[in-house]
Amino acid sequence: AQRVTQPEKLLSVFKGAPVELKCNYSYSGSPELFWYVQYSRQRLQLLLRHISRESIKGFTADLNKGETSFHLKKPFAQEEDSAMYYCALSGRAGNMLTFGGGTRLMVKP
Amino acid sequence: DADVTQTPRNRITKTGKRIMLECSQTKGHDRMYWYRQDPGLGLRLIYYSFDVKDINKGEISDGYSVSRQAQAKFSLSLESAIPNQTALYFCATSDDTGKSYNEQFFGPGTRLTVL
């Protein structure tokens, strides 16, 4: 079975502070990992995927297979980063996503 | 704009009533999904469909049924609604390019309350 765990339901930081949203997964094969984001009054949307090794809006995430983690990081948080963040895993062909419970990020001025 | 739409956006109903939530997409995607979102539990997959003739149960299909009327339409029904089906329901679509990591595109959600 595949599982995604986001241990923090709420993360509150001040503007300009570094932020790290934790994501741990369990899967026996080689997973595809994603971060989705939901801003206030907007739809859930893809933020980034590990296979692209990209930086989106200053966020990066590295897949650590040894620690089975895919933490989302940003060196300097901005107020507009406040949103709900979901880590998701696709473990096999067919694009079936398993989502974590989500972390609400609040960036205070 | 190519989009994913859901109707209704909000619905309040009573226990035992039959409810249908509808999803339409103009993205031309073959794959469609229904999720429910509950606080702290994230999104959980209810049903998914890879094409008009393909319907599959997800993680939490009990108490739900679906219909794929066309490539662009995927409806979710609650045959006899109960209060613990109160949740935010999302429809999503994705393309079929043979890759295992196709991006999913989500609708705006339907907030369902069962009294």
Side-chain angles (χ1 to χ4, degrees), chain A residues 92 96, chain B residues 32-33 45 47-50 54-57 74:
Chain A
R92 54 186 170 89
M96 305 314 303
Chain B
M32 299 187 73
Y33 312 81
L45 184 64
Y47 270 96
Y48 61 101
S49 170
F50 285 171
D54 178 78
I55 302 289
N56 303 280
K57 293 182 177 180
F74 192 37

Side-chain angles (χ1 to χ4, degrees), chain A residues 36 43 86 90 94-96, chain B residues 3-4 37 45 100 102 104 106:
Chain A
Y36 277 78
R43 301 179 185 208
Y86 291 97
S90 176
N95 194 31
M96 305 314 303
Chain B
D3 206 354
V4 183
Q37 183 185 46
L45 184 64
S100 65
N102 299 327
Q104 291 193 12
F106 285 81

